Every structure is written in C-alpha cells, then in structure tokens.
Amino acid sequence: MEEKPLIAFNSSKALLDVLIRAGLIATLVLFCYDIFHPFLNVMLWALILAVTLYPLNQKLGAKLGNRYGWAAIVLVLLGLVILMVPLSLLGASVADSVKVGMQTVEAGQFEIPPPPANVADWPLIGAPLYGIWMHASQDLSWVFKELAPHLTSWGRVLLHQAAGVGAGIVVFVVALIVAGLIMTHGERGHRTAVAITTRISGPVRGPQIAQLCTSTIRAVAQGVVGIAFIQMILIGVALVIMGVPAAGVLALMVLLLGIMQLPVLLVTVPVVVFVFAHDGVGAGTIIFAVWMVIAGLSDNVLKPMLLGRGVAVPMPVVLIGALGGMVTSGIIGLFTGPVILAVGYELFIGWVYQPADVSEVLDETSHDNQP
C-alpha cells in the first residue's frame, strides 16, 4: 500500500523537473531572441542571398583555383558596385516622394493636374484621352477630398514604411557582406543545416527537408523576387533620369507587380503616356518609351534563365508574403517575406502529404488484425 504514494511522489517530482527545465529553456530562448531580434532581418536576408548565390560562388571559385573565399569577395564587391548607384538614386527619389506625400496627406490637398493642350492633337487616342483626363482633373478631386479622412491613417502607414527605404538599402549592403562570409563557409553551413533538420525530423526526412528549403529559397529568390528586382532597377533608373515625379514610388510599384506576377506594363504604359504629354515627341522620349517596353517584357527572357518557371509556390502565397513582409519589416520585407512564407508553405504541404512511416503502418495493421 505504501508503493502507490511513493510512485505518485516520484511522478510528481519528475514532472516538476521537466517543467523547471522547460521553463529555463523557454526563458533562455526569450532572452536570446530579444538580443538577436535587431539583427533578424539582416541575417534572414543574408542567408537568403547566400543560399541563392552559392552555386555561382562555387563556379567562380572553381575558375579561381578552388579559392571560394576570394570568389565570395568578388561577388560581394561586384554586387556593391552594380547596385549602389541605382539603389541610391531610387532611395533619394523615394525620400522626396515620401516627404511630398506626407505633406499632402496632412494638408488633405489632393489634386489631379489638367492635361497639356498638345494631348488633344495626338492621332487616334488624343481627343478621347484629353477629354477623360480633363474630366478627371475637374470632377474627381472632390472624391479624394471626401476619402482623405478615411485614407489618412493607411496613407501614413504606407508612407512611413516607404520612408524606411534608406534603412533598407543599408540593410541590403550589410546583408550582402554577411552573405559573402556565409558563402566562404558554405559546405560547413550545409552540413550544419542537415544536422539540424536531421535532429528535428530524423535521418530520413532531415536531408530531404534541408534540400526542400534550399531549392525553395533559390526558386523564389531567383525566379520571382530576383526578376522583379531586376525590372525595378531597369525601370526605376530610367524614371529617375527622365525626371518622372515619384519615380522611386513607381519603381516600388513595379517591384510589387513583378512579385505578384502581373505585367509591369500596368505602370510603364501610363508613365510613357505622361512623358509624351509632358515632354512631347522627341528622340529622348522615344528612346525612353522603347526602353520601358523592353524592360517591361524582360521577365519573359529572365524567367527561363533564372529557372522562374520551376517555382511551385502559388502566387497568392508569394503576394501575401510580400505585403506582410513590407508591413512588418519595411522595404526589406518585400524581399524576405515571400521567401520565408514560401519555405513555410512548402514545409507544411510536404508534412501534410508525406507518406506514413512504415513502422506506423505495420503497427496499425497489426492492431486492426487483433481479435
């Protein structure tokens, strides 16, 4: 009779030990997260860049005599040289647009400028376009004034997020440098990733999950985010050179449309019409229009090159990741959000449709056959 209280006491003591250990581990995890949280976006973007650029680093390192560290340095320096000038131009444009936009939102002054007189002289579309534009400038301004009180809060949130583009550029530069450091130890990092997933999911599923995460990151980063980023640079720099108002904001719209897999001609065509209406027909405007068309259709060439057609992640997942990432992490979230959500989606779908373990099936079969 005395054994039952002793067993109950031992069970309670064991449960208390487990709870204390779990509490201590949870406390340690919370402290570690609190310390690491300011660097989370940088490290996530650096990891995505490292995984995406690692095959290129391996090829370049092999050509440099198996000097993969030097290959990583070359890729980082090349990326900084290529991207710093256009990103700086777009960042300055976004900053100016945000400043004007915040003043407009706070003052509640929304106006549509009337069309230039030469628009009516355009062949075929001139007269109807002039009439629609003039009607909008005269009759639609009151609509914005009526909606302004309801849109002010949302407008301020979006403008404040766009105002963080300067910080996003700094994060991008730092992340690219950290990605170079990660690529120099790529083989060790791969072994560590496999070891972690093996520890979590077992020796069979662990390497498969590591490979799934790697392939998903590369597919989304190259085939979706990468193409959209290239189109944003090509179109955004041309908009800045032509002096188009809110060029940086329009470039961000191009990036978002590219991530959504929608044609960026939705932005470029109205911009080309505006440039022709404002500057008239000339050699510069014609070259600008041709460049806009080529840049807008460049995804048809880039997708086969960057394996974008192999992306199995549904576009709504990518879109939600981009929008949610921008709300939570600013401009850099436009890049990290789709990749992270795509990896989570692929892991969840793989877990849902994974085949049952053979031992579990045998146990269930033997249990069902028992009399």
Side-chain angles (χ1 to χ4, degrees):
M1 296 295 293
E2 296 181 355
E3 293 182 358
K4 291 184 178 179
L6 182 60
I7 294 175
F9 175 77
N10 291 333
S11 300
S12 301
K13 183 179 179 181
L15 178 61
L16 182 61
D17 290 342
V18 171
L19 292 177
I20 291 175
R21 292 173 185 173
L24 292 175
I25 293 174
T27 303
L28 179 61
V29 170
L30 289 176
F31 275 115
C32 292
Y33 176 78
D34 190 46
I35 295 172
F36 185 72
H37 179 69
F39 308 97
L40 184 60
N41 287 331
V42 176
M43 295 306 299
L44 284 176
W45 187 225
L47 183 61
I48 292 171
L49 288 175
V51 172
T52 304
L53 297 176
Y54 186 67
L56 182 60
N57 178 76
Q58 292 297 100
K59 293 180 181 179
L60 182 59
K63 293 183 179 180
L64 295 177
N66 296 328
R67 298 177 180 177
Y68 300 105
W70 283 104
I73 294 175
V74 171
L75 288 178
V76 171
L77 293 178
L78 187 62
L80 292 176
V81 170
I82 294 176
L83 297 178
M84 283 307 298
V85 173
L87 287 179
S88 299
L89 292 175
L90 293 178
S93 177
V94 170
D96 294 337
S97 301
V98 167
K99 182 179 179 181
V100 174
M102 293 185 70
Q103 293 175 353
T104 303
V105 169
E106 292 176 356
Q109 299 175 351
F110 296 92
E111 296 181 358
I112 299 177
N118 61 350
V119 174
D121 299 331
W122 292 1
L124 298 178
I125 64 171
L129 179 62
Y130 182 86
I132 295 173
W133 194 339
M134 180 62 72
H135 182 74
S137 64
Q138 294 176 351
D139 296 341
L140 293 183
S141 297
W142 68 272
V143 176
F144 291 103
K145 293 180 181 179
E146 292 293 330
L147 294 177
H150 306 284
L151 299 178
T152 299
S153 58
W154 286 95
R156 287 177 178 173
V157 172
L158 293 177
L159 288 174
H160 281 297
Q161 293 294 343
V165 67
I169 294 175
V170 175
V171 170
F172 187 92
V173 172
V174 175
L176 186 59
I177 296 174
V178 175
L181 298 176
I182 295 175
M183 285 188 293
T184 57
H185 305 283
E187 189 63 31
R188 185 187 306 173
H190 175 72
R191 291 196 301 267
T192 303
V194 173
I196 293 173
T197 54
T198 301
R199 182 67 174 175
I200 296 173
S201 300
V204 177
R205 289 284 298 167
Q208 296 176 358
I209 291 177
Q211 179 60 35
L212 177 64
C213 293
T214 302
S215 59
T216 303
I217 290 174
R218 287 175 182 164
V220 176
Q222 293 178 1
V224 178
V225 179
I227 294 175
F229 182 76
I230 293 174
Q231 286 186 305
M232 180 193 73
I233 295 296
L234 295 176
I235 295 175
V237 172
L239 295 177
V240 173
I241 293 175
M242 288 298 295
V244 177
V249 176
L250 291 173
L252 292 179
M253 292 177 61
V254 169
L255 175 65
L256 188 58
L257 288 175
I259 293 175
M260 295 167 59
Q261 300 291 285
L262 294 176
V264 298
L265 295 176
L266 296 173
V267 172
T268 57
V269 170
V271 169
V272 169
V273 173
F274 171 80
V275 169
F276 273 110
H278 187 269
D279 297 340
V281 179
T285 54
I286 293 176
I287 294 174
F288 173 77
V290 173
W291 178 261
M292 287 290 102
V293 173
I294 294 175
L297 299 176
S298 61
D299 59 331
N300 296 316
V301 179
L302 294 173
K303 281 183 179 180
M305 293 174 57
L306 299 178
L307 304 178
R309 294 178 180 175
V311 180
V313 180
M315 284 304 109
V317 175
V318 178
L319 174 59
I320 294 173
L323 296 177
M326 183 176 180
V327 172
T328 57
S329 303
I331 297 299
I332 202 68
L334 277 173
F335 304 98
T336 59
V339 179
I340 295 172
L341 197 61
V343 171
Y345 172 83
E346 286 294 324
L347 290 176
F348 176 74
I349 293 300
W351 172 76
V352 169
Y353 292 104
Q354 71 176 357
D357 187 68
V358 177
S359 60
E360 294 178 359
V361 175
L362 293 177
D363 291 341
E364 293 179 0
T365 305
S366 60
H367 177 73
D368 294 337
N369 292 333
Q370 288 181 358

